[in-house]
Amino acid sequence: MTSPTKTAAWKQLRSHYQQFARANFQLAALFENEPHRFHEFSLKTDQLVFDFSKNLITQQTIDLLLALARECGLASAITDMYGGKEVNNTENRAALHMALRAAPADQISKPEVVDTLDRMQAIVSAVHQHQWRGYTGDPITNIVSIGIGGSELGPAMVTEALSAFAVPGLKVHFVSNVDPSHITTTLAALDPGTTLFIIASKSFTTTETYHNASLARKWLLESGASKADLAHHFLAISTNLQATREFGISKDNTLPMWDWVGGRYSLWSAIGLPIALALGMDQFRQLLAGARDMDQHFLTADLAHNIPAIMGLLGVWYSGFFGSNNHAVIPYNQHLHRLPAFLQQLCMESLGKSVTKNGDRVDTNTGEIVWGEPGTNAQHSFFQLLHQGTHLTPVDFIAVAEGEDTHKHQHSILLANCFAQSMALMQGQSLTSADPDSNSSANPNTASAQLSPHKTMTGNKPSNTVLLKQLNPYTLGNLIAMYEHKVYVQSVIWNINAFDQWGVELGKSLAEQLIEQMTNSNNQADYDDSTNNLIQQVEQWTK
Ligand code: F6P
């Protein structure tokens, strides 16, 4: 496979798009003419509905996108990933996150995963049953997970999303930023004797994590703990046993990670220990079950009825033919407020690539810029641009049918807003419906006629709506796995590697050089004029 643009389906999609543009295709008109459009363009699993009817598509569009998927070998690429082929070709690694949530009888189930889940279970019950105690002999009341990127975003997002399921008496905190205020403000409210740290780092070479972990160790030692006491307060999750040992965390207190799991796909592994501690192991296993069922759907549903496949192909349609470069994710659920940040890493670190798997330059857009905030807040900030701006931003609305029992009415207001926004984006508004009293054609000089261009909305803005029955560990597992597979689908079509991230390395190594310069006054290297002057200004202001 070289480039999707060389396929017959891409050429057909291009002329299909041109016909579309010429016909001034109107979504609202399609809804009028196709009374069953939702049934035609929606898919459902047990507890999740994926409504893609408000997209700029006809059945022919979908047929052509499916033809593109076939020409790009999507079905066999899915089997390759599941079968453990080295789909991460630049690092010669498989991408077996599906093995982390496999049922024991599944072909890809791994004994080391089962064993790690058992070890997690033992830690969780020791902490919950107050058998795991701090150096003062008191039970653990606070967990501080130190990690960044994939070692933080997934666990933090899930822990917050499922806070309604949290076990009482234990608080889980996340520290990621090397900005010392992140750890110091977190620790300020905590008691060293009852705090357990989890150092989550696949590589155990990440600067931010290393420095925050070192500050945590110092904080404990300064509180009166001895070096031997630290064993009561530190767990690590890593592939790098030598580095964890050098840091002072024993093998017994270290849970494994594996090269065949990418950081941003790792919340299902021991990296998810903070989730398991916050919610209990049963809920963690429900999260895995939700992801596993989405895996089964992805592996077995034909592409025309395959939610991640259709989601991914729609993104290819907008970026490849409409020139869209971004995608908004708007969860209408406050608990999901960190979902956009999680998806930013998942999608943008995976798909922000400009060469194909073979190293050739890509010749179409890849990797959408993912952004978003929860609704309804977002309606009062950036939705103006979605409705009347000049950029095409496909939106994923995420809604949850069941709300809190005690506030049903207010939950209905939330959902009504969600559905109203996708409707408004789709249908737009003519002046006569915005202002029935106006008669601009009769007299173009009236104030209302002059306001006409400001008040009208073209509509025709595409969106998906993902509706969950409830927000619980199972449905959240469904939702996250759906996005993981969407990313893989797009990587296959664009023929890029979704599992490496070479682009982050240069910044890391330049930072190492600058750290040396900024912390050692004998070292005066010469950089570009901007960097030199910024460093000098800091020196002047902080002398
Ligand atoms: O810098 C990017 C990255 O390597 C991510 O891919 C990863 O999730 C994050 O840093 C943290 O890495 P680690 O778990 O090895 O500390």
Side-chain angles (χ1 to χ4, degrees), residues 47-60:
Q47 301 194 38
L48 181 151
V49 169
F50 174 56
D51 171 15
F52 59 105
S53 60
K54 293 194 188 92
N55 276 288
L56 299 165
I57 53 168
T58 60
Q59 189 53 50
Q60 194 190 356

Side-chain angles (χ1 to χ4, degrees), residues 148-151 201-203 206 263 345 349 501 504 508:
I148 198 164
S151 297
S201 176
K202 182 179 169 187
S203 60
T206 303
Q345 187 198 15
E349 204 172 65
Q501 59 282 322
V504 301
K508 286 186 193 173

Side-chain angles (χ1 to χ4, degrees), residues 144 175 182-192 195 197 212 215-216 219:
V144 179
V175 169
H182 197 177
I183 187 151
T184 52
T185 50
T186 306
L187 297 185
L190 305 186
D191 171 359
T195 300
F197 291 95
N212 281 324
L215 274 182
W219 179 72

Side-chain angles (χ1 to χ4, degrees), residues 30-45:
L30 280 190
F31 269 93
E32 265 170 40
N33 298 333
E34 297 171 5
H36 305 297
R37 195 170 158 86
F38 173 84
H39 287 284
E40 211 179 325
F41 298 117
S42 66
L43 294 166
K44 200 174 165 201
T45 63

Side-chain angles (χ1 to χ4, degrees), residues 96-322:
L96 277 173
H97 40 287
M98 283 190 274
L100 297 170
R101 56 240 188 176
D106 282 356
Q107 178 196 324
I108 54 164
S109 161
K110 287 176 176 286
E112 59 268 43
V113 171
V114 176
D115 180 58
T116 304
L117 284 169
D118 289 345
R119 288 184 65 195
M120 288 168 71
Q121 177 121 35
I123 293 167
V124 170
S125 61
V127 171
H128 288 183
Q129 288 165 24
H130 296 173
Q131 287 149 356
W132 188 303
R133 288 177 180 253
Y135 77 94
T136 53
D138 296 314
I140 299 298
T141 55
N142 285 276
I143 307 287
V144 179
S145 180
I146 298 179
I148 198 164
S151 297
E152 188 254 355
L153 285 162
M157 180 273 285
V158 172
T159 303
E160 286 218 25
L162 299 176
S163 58
F165 296 80
V167 296
L170 190 66
K171 275 205 83 177
V172 178
H173 314 259
F174 291 88
V175 169
S176 50
N177 202 329
V178 77
D179 179 343
S181 65
H182 197 177
I183 187 151
T184 52
T185 50
T186 306
L187 297 185
L190 305 186
D191 171 359
T194 59
T195 300
L196 175 62
F197 291 95
I198 299 174
I199 314 303
S201 176
K202 182 179 169 187
S203 60
F204 225 81
T205 57
T206 303
T207 311
E208 292 89 335
T209 302
Y210 178 79
H211 285 281
N212 281 324
S214 303
L215 274 182
R217 184 173 53 190
K218 187 163 170 269
W219 179 72
L220 270 162
L221 293 171
E222 285 175 358
S223 79
S226 69
K227 278 201 172 156
D229 289 333
L230 294 183
H232 302 271
H233 293 273
F234 278 96
L235 284 163
I237 296 131
S238 186
T239 54
N240 188 347
L241 289 186
Q242 190 185 334
T244 54
R245 199 173 41 246
E246 280 165 17
F247 183 82
I249 304 178
S250 70
K251 202 166 160 245
D252 285 349
N253 278 8
T254 303
L255 293 170
M257 259 284 277
W258 304 282
D259 278 347
W260 42 264
V261 185
R264 51 194 176 272
Y265 300 86
S266 69
L267 70 91
W268 325 97
S269 71
I271 291 287
L273 182 62
I275 305 172
L277 282 161
L279 314 178
M281 205 59 198
D282 289 350
Q283 303 292 9
F284 187 72
R285 287 184 193 275
Q286 275 302 305
L287 182 77
L288 301 186
R292 176 165 64 241
D293 285 354
M294 183 53 73
D295 295 343
Q296 283 310 314
H297 167 82
F298 184 52
L299 291 164
T300 58
D302 67 275
L303 295 181
H305 300 97
N306 193 311
I307 297 173
I310 297 289
M311 252 192 142
L313 288 167
L314 288 169
V316 170
W317 172 231
Y318 293 120
S319 71
F321 299 92
F322 291 74

Side-chain angles (χ1 to χ4, degrees), residues 480-501:
I480 300 168
M482 175 189 79
Y483 275 108
E484 285 180 349
H485 295 320
K486 171 203 165 172
V487 165
Y488 185 61
V489 168
Q490 295 191 326
S491 76
V492 173
I493 305 295
W494 289 324
N495 191 25
I496 57 180
N497 183 350
F499 303 106
D500 62 9
Q501 59 282 322

